[in-house]
Amino acid sequence: MQRYFAKQRKDDIFILEKEDYHHIKTVMRFKDGEKVQVVLENTPYLCCIEDVQKEVKIRLLSQIEKTEEIGPEIVLLLPLLKEQKMDFVLQKATELGVHKIVPVMTERSIIKLKEEKVDKKIERWTKICKEASEQSYRTDIPEITEIMTYKSMPNWEGLKIVCSTTEKAKTIKSSLQKVTNCARIVIAVGPEGGLSEKEESYLTGIGFEAVTLGNRIMRVETVPIFILSILNYERMR
Amino acid sequence: MQRYFAKQRKDDIFILEKEDYHHIKTVMRFKDGEKVQVVLENTPYLCCIEDVQKEVKIRLLSQIEKTEEIGPEIVLLLPLLKEQKMDFVLQKATELGVHKIVPVMTERSIIKLKEEKVDKKIERWTKICKEASEQSYRTDIPEITEIMTYKSMPNWEGLKIVCSTTEKAKTIKSSLQKVTNCARIVIAVGPEGGLSEKEESYLTGIGFEAVTLGNRIMRVETVPIFILSILNYERMR
């Protein structure tokens, strides 16, 4: 069943984004009486579509039980990548449960964003995450922060790991398995060309553990997907 | 360093595919004396480029030590997906170490291939895997078999799992962790819309274990990447 995130609720009617109404009428071509799910403030509801020919009303029918597990907050420090790769990582990371994405300007990031284009970019990235959240039935949308550098980012509490190209012995598995319970996991991955030595040593200096992902050589956009997959796996019974 | 798969070797000169010579001259614009890696019969070699203005010669300098680990053969039974998704899975599955990909015609596969186009398709898919193998420094290229149905495929030995939409209790983790050593892992994933009940019960009837991947709802193309990531993780120390 199609799921939408609502902006607000007035009595039994949910108010969606303008483009969601377009999606309902023109893309999905829903008819009166058809059902959709709507999420407001992390709570999913079963709703029914009314008056599709005029203004489209989304009426609450019942609340839906949440099935999401409670786990650590997953924060991904993601270097600016080329547009297609960036979009890909945002979509897949959302499917795989990321909570917060921090776009990072790194030394070797090929992409340099002009100041005036930053807001538009973040808006676009947020939209990709919203759509992926709808598709994967999440009740929250990952937060995309402003673009930071490693030096300008807050001092995260929790388990912090950086995917290293030089560390050969200490695997990400040894790092994850040693921690049985933590409130937050922060993951730093490299851009194309990797993190510089300076960046890596800055990160380890502020408490990040440098780990290897093993012998496989993966493309830059595959790494976050790999890590988020194993984070899900670690929490599986 | 750029890596190519060679077709054959004549004394100290490796013979590549025609399009690889084009890649060397026109895409990479290598100059005489520059180094590349070449793989022949699963063995990587360091080579040097000569005579780039005329016929391009790839001369052997030394053999390179292999770093690949020995593990189970990973077979992915992949329903025919839309072109872009198919290409994506082939590329990422290669990066993540798949050995054999069996394209499967399932009940709910949207894609129906015309008989006369099958050879061209398999050639195209193999090319994607070859390029991904080069990029990820593999010494082998995943084999793409002919298109099969579940009934026409061979009787695989090894651990066989099918990603089920109905199984809720038995996780893929419980299935993988029970097996400490096996020569082959065969993975069946669904197409968009999932496997039919009939297909799933046919597979469990021939020894596949139906497992759940947990509560996350992933797109069809994300599932193989998720599974291959955790197979790597399981084998990590």
Side-chain angles (χ1 to χ4, degrees), chain A residues 213-224:
Chain A
L213 304 179
N215 283 333
R216 299 233 171 269
I217 293 158
M218 296 175 219
R219 284 177 194 237
V220 67
E221 75 275 18
T222 312
V223 171

Side-chain angles (χ1 to χ4, degrees), chain A residues 6 39-43 66 139:
Chain A
V39 179
L40 184 66
E41 288 164 2
N42 288 349
T43 309
K66 278 207 253 187
T139 57

